[in-house]
Amino acid sequence: MSGREGGKKKPLKAPKKHAKEMDEDEVAFKQKQKEEQKAMEALKAKASGKGPLGGSGIKKSGKK
């Protein structure tokens, strides 16, 4: 048994991806996705400032 066989094998290198040409529809779609993501993050930031929603779970009266 040679020392080269044991251990983790190296993965094969993936071929480099070439920058593909985008047409107008793809550019518009990417722009729309970016705008939606920005809007979602703004809503998350706005919602995180407030306390829990509802907050009317099971209430204990404290009486025995």
Side-chain angles (χ1 to χ4, degrees):
M1 179 171 168
S2 67
R4 187 102 170 109
E5 289 179 19
K8 187 176 178 182
K9 304 234 186 221
K10 289 185 178 180
L12 295 174
K13 288 186 177 179
K16 291 183 180 179
K17 295 182 180 177
H18 298 287
K20 64 175 185 171
E21 299 290 325
M22 286 198 262
D23 60 357
E24 295 171 12
D25 293 335
E26 289 176 340
V27 172
F29 180 71
K30 292 266 186 189
Q31 184 68 26
K32 185 179 174 186
Q33 276 188 329
K34 283 183 183 180
E35 290 174 4
E36 287 177 0
Q37 187 175 3
K38 285 181 185 178
M40 286 297 290
E41 287 184 14
L43 288 174
K44 282 183 188 177
K46 186 177 178 184
S48 67
K50 297 180 182 177
L53 298 176
S56 61
I58 300 173
K59 297 209 175 194
K60 297 184 180 177
S61 65
K63 296 180 185 177
K64 292 231 173 183

